[in-house]
Amino acid sequence: MLRWKFYKQIKLLGKGKGGYSFLCECDNHLFVVKQIHHEPCDYYKFSNKLESEINSYKKLIEMNINVPRLIDV
């Protein structure tokens, strides 16, 4: 059964060409939540932003780069 959770936004960590990253808290644990945005980017064209994010995450893992664990998409 899917259980919805509320993530309390603490602060904006940064904005990239694909979205915003926020430091959030839920159940006394800290998380980074990325919100994909659809703002135009003159120097970069996305085919599918979510798919690009997932592929980039997989590449970082394959390269043994220390990244936070992806919990959900």
Side-chain angles (χ1 to χ4, degrees):
M1 182 170 149
L2 181 62
R3 184 180 144 216
W4 292 97
K5 291 190 172 204
F6 175 76
Y7 292 86
K8 179 183 175 188
Q9 182 179 319
I10 297 172
K11 70 177 183 176
L12 174 66
L13 296 174
K15 175 188 174 192
K17 59 184 175 285
Y20 299 93
S21 294
F22 297 94
L23 178 63
C24 297
E25 186 268 333
C26 180
D27 297 334
N28 295 318
H29 291 84
L30 294 176
F31 297 88
V32 174
V33 174
K34 185 157 188 181
Q35 177 184 9
I36 304 297
H37 63 60
H38 298 287
E39 298 171 3
C41 183
D42 295 337
Y43 59 91
Y44 198 88
K45 299 294 181 210
F46 288 97
S47 55
N48 182 319
K49 283 189 181 182
L50 185 56
E51 184 178 315
S52 295
E53 289 287 334
I54 293 168
N55 289 337
S56 295
Y57 180 82
K58 289 177 181 177
K59 285 179 187 176
L60 292 171
I61 295 296
E62 289 171 4
M63 295 168 37
N64 292 317
I65 294 176
N66 190 16
V67 294
R69 181 171 56 102
L70 180 63
I71 296 173
D72 200 0
V73 175

